[in-house]
Amino acid sequence: MDMKQLATFQIASKTLNFTKSAEILNYAQSSVTSQIKSLESELGVNLFERLGNKLVLTTYGNKFQVYADTITAQYQSAIEEINYDKNMTSTLVVGATESQCAYKLPDVLKELKVLFPNVGVIVKPVHKFQEIQSELQSGDMDFAFMFGEGVDEGHNLKVSKLSKGSLVLVASPVNKTTQLEKPKLQDLIEETLILTEKGCSYRNLLEGMLLDHKIKFNSTFEITNIETLKNCVKSDLGIALLPYEAVKEEVKKNELKIIDWSQGKDHEIYHFISWHKDKKLTSLLNTFISVSENVF
C-alpha cells in the first residue's frame, strides 16, 4: 500500500466513477483500475462493487474510507511539518569541549545541514560544568556536550550518555618516559605536566588521581588551546593527558607517543549531551539529539 493508491481510492470513493477519477488525477482509466485492484488484493476484500450501471462502496470500502482519510491527513501534516523544519531559519546554540568541537561536532553538523539546510548553528567551546549549567538554565544554550566520568541530572538538566571515550597520556617520541615499561605516575614526576584549563573534565580526573596518590609534579604548564598544547608536547616540553580522538592522528604519524601507564584502576569516561529538562523538543531538536547519538 502506498500514498498514491490511497489518493486514488479517496477520489474514486467520492466520484464513484473510475473514468471521472482518472480525469481528476490525470491518469489513464486502466491505471486507476489497476491501483484499486492492487489495493483490494493487499487488503483481501472488495472495496467497490457494481450494481447494474452504478459503482458503490462495499461495507469494507466505507470502513476503509475513514482510515484512508486519517492516514492521508497525518501524512500531509508530517510533510508540512518536515518542510517547515527544513525551511526554518532558527539558530541552535551548542556548547562542547574543545576536543568535541574539533573531532566530533563537524560530522554532527554535516548530517544536520542535510536534514535542515537553513538552520544556523553557533558552537561555543565550554569546559566547566558550572558554565554549562548556567547557560542551559538561562536558555542561552540549547545543548551542551560534556566529557567525564559521570554527569548529574540535577539542576533541571536532562542528560543522555552518547558513547565511551578514552584518555591517553602522551609525550614526544624522544621523551625518556616513552622508554619506561608500564610506568606509574610516581615515575613521571620529574616531567613537566602540561594541563588544560582549570575546570576541564580530564584535568579534573588527572588532578583527582594525583591527589589520591599524593603525587605532585615538579613543574606544570597550563595551556587552554589543545592544538598549542599538542605542539608543546611534540616539542618535548612536557607530557599531557588528552582525549584519544585529539591525538590519534599524531600517534599514527609517530609525532606523539602514548605512555603505557597504569594506576591499577580502569577510569571510565564518557561523552554526554545535555539540555534543560523543560525545553520543548521540536522535530529539529529531537533530530539533533538523534544525529548526535549516531555520530558519537
Side-chain angles (χ1 to χ4, degrees):
M1 185 187 304
D2 58 33
M3 297 308 299
K4 191 174 181 181
Q5 290 173 330
L6 284 178
T8 299
F9 169 76
Q10 283 184 296
I11 296 297
S13 67
K14 290 177 174 63
T15 64
L16 295 175
N17 186 307
F18 285 1
T19 301
K20 189 176 287 187
S21 298
E23 290 174 1
I24 293 171
L25 294 166
N26 198 26
Y27 293 158
Q29 182 179 332
S30 60
S31 179
V32 171
T33 302
S34 175
Q35 287 185 45
I36 296 299
K37 290 294 183 187
S38 178
L39 189 56
E40 288 178 328
S41 177
E42 185 174 344
L43 294 172
V45 296
N46 290 329
L47 300 172
F48 296 90
E49 62 180 345
R50 191 167 292 279
L51 302 178
N53 293 326
K54 190 176 180 182
L55 188 69
V56 297
L57 285 169
T58 64
T59 302
Y60 294 116
N62 279 305
K63 286 184 177 179
F64 187 69
Q65 188 178 35
V66 176
Y67 289 106
D69 289 344
T70 301
I71 293 168
T72 302
Q74 289 179 336
Y75 178 75
Q76 189 57 41
S77 295
I79 293 296
E80 288 172 0
E81 183 175 349
I82 288 170
N83 285 334
Y84 170 77
D85 283 339
K86 279 187 176 179
N87 294 321
M88 68 190 299
T89 55
S90 63
T91 299
L92 287 179
V93 181
V94 180
T97 67
E98 189 180 350
S99 61
Q100 289 169 328
C101 286
Y103 306 105
K104 291 290 189 182
L105 272 186
D107 288 335
V108 173
L109 300 182
K110 184 178 179 180
E111 276 198 47
L112 189 71
K113 185 171 178 60
V114 172
L115 298 169
F116 301 94
N118 297 320
V119 170
V121 180
I122 296 173
V123 176
K124 302 171 70 172
V126 289
H127 295 284
K128 300 176 182 177
F129 179 71
Q130 291 81 359
E131 294 175 1
I132 292 170
Q133 177 189 330
S134 174
E135 298 221 26
L136 289 176
Q137 293 276 14
S138 66
D140 293 333
M141 189 183 290
D142 296 299
F143 293 103
F145 293 97
M146 291 175 278
F147 192 49
E149 292 179 285
V151 177
D152 186 2
E153 272 203 346
H155 309 289
N156 296 321
L157 298 186
K158 289 287 292 180
V159 179
S160 177
K161 186 185 291 184
L162 296 173
S163 65
K164 189 173 182 178
S166 61
L167 293 172
V168 291
L169 195 62
V170 290
S172 163
V174 301
N175 189 288
K176 63 183 181 181
T177 59
T178 62
Q179 308 304 315
L180 299 174
E181 186 176 348
K182 294 189 180 298
K184 300 289 191 290
L185 281 175
Q186 292 93 328
D187 301 324
L188 308 175
I189 59 174
E190 297 299 324
E191 292 295 319
T192 295
L193 182 62
I194 306 180
L195 300 167
T196 50
E197 71 174 296
K198 200 166 187 63
C200 173
S201 57
Y202 29 100
R203 172 170 174 171
N204 289 344
L205 176 62
L206 180 58
E207 288 182 331
M209 291 167 56
L210 294 176
L211 187 63
D212 288 343
H213 292 82
K214 298 181 173 56
I215 298 170
K216 185 175 182 181
F217 276 68
N218 294 340
S219 173
T220 58
F221 288 171
E222 182 177 309
I223 300 175
T224 58
N225 180 272
I226 286 185
E227 290 303 314
T228 302
L229 192 157
K230 287 194 293 185
N231 285 331
C232 289
V233 177
K234 285 192 275 188
S235 299
D236 199 25
L237 291 177
I239 61 176
L241 185 72
L242 293 170
Y244 177 68
E245 292 100 332
V247 298
K248 66 179 180 180
E249 291 303 318
E250 287 82 1
V251 170
K252 287 179 183 176
K253 296 174 184 176
N254 201 36
E255 296 172 346
L256 290 173
K257 194 163 182 180
I258 296 174
I259 301 171
D260 186 14
W261 65 294
S262 170
Q263 286 294 320
K265 180 183 178 183
D266 179 23
H267 292 277
E268 294 187 340
I269 195 160
Y270 298 91
H271 294 282
F272 299 89
I273 184 172
S274 61
W275 61 94
H276 196 287
K277 71 176 182 65
D278 295 331
K279 178 172 282 295
K280 182 182 178 183
L281 294 181
T282 62
S283 174
L284 168 63
L285 301 184
N286 272 316
T287 299
F288 185 83
I289 295 170
S290 297
V291 168
S292 300
E293 289 171 344
N294 292 335
V295 168
F296 275 77

